[in-house]
Amino acid sequence: LGEKWPLHILLAEDHPTNQILALRILDRLGYRADVAGNGLEVLAALERQHYDVVLMDVQMPEMDGLEATRHIRAAEAGSTHRPVYIVAMTANAMQGDREMCLAAGMNDYVSKPIRVDVLVAALRKVPVPDDNRHGLHEHHEHHEPAALADETAPDEALPADAGSQTDDEQGILDRGALDALFEITGEDFDFLAQM
């Protein structure tokens, strides 16, 4: 996806494990991202350079994602520069959270834990600047949510012996969560163990 849809990404996330996992997902999609640990670091990073998209954790210390977004939008008011696209990332999938994020000035919303297909869909909505479009075809306009089945479809098939687990085993281990993490980590056992 990174070659077909080139983007400069800033990941705003304070939790080290979430940073590692998000960077791994982005890397598998063909992206490199800079990291900010809180809203103040986001503002400082945006002063140094432009990013096409900020993946903004909502709950961060010192300055949360909502306040950082309000500062960004206030700074962009009257500017001739292209506004940064902000995607909220939050584990609080409560009713009204999406509306609260959009009201703060965010463009999109992704709930945690991050699903690869949902993240891809969000990234496909980000307008790709003309200077990043080297080799892009006309049909890859940002408003098209073009299906990337080979890149986004998670393998939902359970192993053949999945039904043979006892109730106790199923209660201790969430096989679906492990399978999803295994898919996200690219079948890398060392990385899976680290996570």
Side-chain angles (χ1 to χ4, degrees):
L1 183 64
E3 291 180 8
K4 298 174 185 174
W5 208 252
L7 298 168
H8 297 131
I9 300 173
L10 177 63
L11 171 67
E13 170 63 65
D14 64 306
H15 195 281
T17 303
N18 290 342
Q19 288 177 0
I20 292 167
L21 184 58
L23 290 172
R24 177 59 174 242
I25 293 170
L26 290 169
D27 181 65
R28 290 198 62 221
L29 294 173
Y31 293 109
R32 292 184 184 268
D34 293 334
V35 177
N38 60 53
L40 295 175
E41 291 180 14
V42 169
L43 299 180
L46 289 170
E47 284 182 12
R48 289 191 300 272
Q49 65 177 309
H50 179 79
Y51 290 91
D52 300 312
V53 61
V54 177
L55 300 176
M56 183 83 78
D57 186 19
V58 173
Q59 294 183 340
M60 294 183 289
E62 298 186 55
M63 180 186 285
D64 67 24
L66 297 172
E67 186 177 349
T69 299
R70 292 184 195 104
H71 280 275
I72 291 166
R73 295 305 183 217
E76 289 174 343
S79 172
T80 58
H81 295 291
R82 185 178 65 255
V84 65
Y85 195 92
I86 302 174
V87 177
M89 296 192 313
T90 181
N92 293 338
M94 303 292 288
Q95 187 172 2
D97 280 356
R98 181 182 180 87
E99 292 75 17
M100 183 175 58
C101 290
L102 297 177
M106 296 179 174
N107 302 94
D108 205 351
Y109 177 98
V110 172
S111 62
K112 295 179 187 175
I114 299 169
R115 287 182 35 210
V116 177
D117 57 333
V118 174
L119 180 60
V120 167
L123 292 175
R124 292 285 295 163
K125 295 177 188 174
V126 179
V128 177
D130 290 335
D131 56 342
N132 286 7
R133 288 181 170 264
H134 54 83
L136 288 182
H137 301 294
E138 288 301 316
H139 66 277
H140 282 136
E141 291 303 316
H142 72 272
H143 50 79
E144 289 185 21
L148 299 171
D150 60 326
E151 295 167 359
T152 63
D155 182 7
E156 296 181 355
L158 290 173
D161 65 346
S164 66
Q165 292 181 332
T166 67
D167 290 339
D168 288 341
E169 287 173 329
Q170 290 176 348
I172 294 169
L173 297 175
D174 182 341
R175 183 58 189 238
L178 288 174
D179 287 343
L181 188 57
F182 190 63
E183 174 75 23
I184 287 169
T185 59
E187 302 183 4
D188 181 335
F189 285 103
D190 290 336
F191 186 77
L192 183 63
Q194 179 185 359
M195 294 310 297

